[in-house]
Amino acid sequence: MIQRKPSRPGPAGRLRARARRASRTVPALAVMAALLGLDLPDPPAGALLGVTARAAAGTVTDRVGALFTGGLDGGHFCTASVVHSDDGDVIATAAHCLDHPDTTVFAPGYRDGRAPYGLWRLTGVYVAPGWTDGQDPDRDIAFATVAPVDDAGPAPLEELVGAFRVAADQYEHATVTIVGYPRSQEAPLRCANTTALISETQRRIGCPDLSGGTSGSPWLVDGALAGVLGGHEGGGTLPEVSYSAVMGDSATALYREAARAG
């Protein structure tokens, strides 16, 4: 089974990169960007659902960034977002995106080769034992603390870009907005659609072109983080359908641990 995962190889048996399909293109980006690229946490009334477009720069997209290997020259392989903490230094992503924390850096607001808010190294990783021991897809949500790569650089991160609150509440048919970075794109894409639970622990959304690199993308409900792209089938085997583990007790406990440790 092909997994839609980060591009970097992990140890034997690790889930692999979410497959990037080179022949796919983002449909009608120029037409739909004005409609779905608005700087709002959720789609405006009357907006078309299930359409993917380039996300406009702004408050929401500044809180989302790409994960790189070493630096901007290393290529981005996953997506992460800033979540609220007292020290302002916590990000959320998929657990399978954090196989190599020592060489991973976060670039919030990354766009067209620029990191406007600098690069941020990981200082701590918070992954559930169920993922560490058995790669349980229900535990494919993780958090990390960060600090500027240049220790003299700006801090804390949340003062620069703001942060999403974390919400554990789940609804049967929530409307979710996803912002993420396919490996083939140098700016984030955005899509909103209604979702459905495929089990008590996994949620599904239909959005085209969320291919390799979008793992870890925030699932936003009413402006709050309610999940990240990952989980079932590593986030999905087709770019048109994506999944997220439900933000349950295990994930919220990890979040509180990361927020306290910052």
Side-chain angles (χ1 to χ4, degrees):
M1 179 179 295
I2 298 174
Q3 303 288 347
R4 284 195 289 167
K5 291 308 181 190
S7 59
R8 295 179 305 174
R14 288 285 186 183
L15 294 174
R16 297 308 188 215
R18 185 174 185 170
R20 170 160 55 103
R21 303 194 174 200
S23 62
R24 295 188 180 275
T25 59
V26 180
L29 291 185
V31 176
M32 298 309 303
L35 179 62
L36 293 181
L38 298 176
D39 183 25
L40 296 171
D42 290 299
L48 294 179
L49 300 179
V51 178
T52 301
R54 183 176 170 117
T59 302
V60 173
T61 51
D62 282 351
R63 299 173 185 176
V64 182
L67 294 179
F68 288 80
T69 301
L72 297 185
D73 293 337
H76 56 89
F77 62 91
C78 267
T79 303
S81 58
V82 184
V83 292
H84 175 67
S85 64
D86 287 346
D87 289 336
D89 63 350
V90 177
I91 63 173
T93 188
H96 71 257
C97 292
L98 298 181
D99 281 347
H100 305 279
D102 291 343
T103 57
T104 296
V105 295
F106 175 56
Y110 175 78
R111 188 174 295 263
D112 298 326
R114 296 181 58 253
Y117 301 103
L119 295 179
W120 299 74
R121 59 186 174 85
L122 307 189
T123 58
V125 170
Y126 299 83
V127 179
W131 178 263
T132 303
D133 298 337
Q135 296 178 353
D136 181 352
D138 293 342
R139 301 291 179 261
D140 196 11
I141 299 175
F143 299 88
T145 52
V146 297
V149 168
D150 178 357
D151 287 331
L157 178 56
E158 189 171 338
E159 287 189 4
L160 295 178
V161 299
F164 301 118
R165 62 186 177 88
V166 173
D169 294 337
Q170 298 291 322
Y171 303 94
E172 181 63 24
H173 298 288
T175 298
V176 164
T177 298
I178 297 177
V179 179
Y181 289 83
R183 286 186 287 120
S184 59
Q185 302 286 325
E186 291 303 296
L189 300 183
R190 182 175 186 152
C191 180
N193 209 347
T194 56
T195 63
L197 292 170
I198 63 169
S199 70
E200 293 183 353
T201 56
Q202 295 286 331
R203 184 175 290 282
R204 175 191 184 278
I205 192 170
C207 277
D209 298 292
L210 297 182
S211 56
T214 57
S215 286
S217 299
W219 288 39
L220 303 173
V221 177
D222 295 331
L225 184 90
V228 301
L229 200 155
H232 179 64
E233 294 183 345
T237 58
L238 298 174
E240 293 82 3
V241 179
S242 299
Y243 300 93
S244 171
V246 167
M247 182 78 71
D249 293 342
S250 173
T252 54
L254 283 178
Y255 163 63
R256 293 186 183 111
E257 184 180 359
R260 286 194 302 267

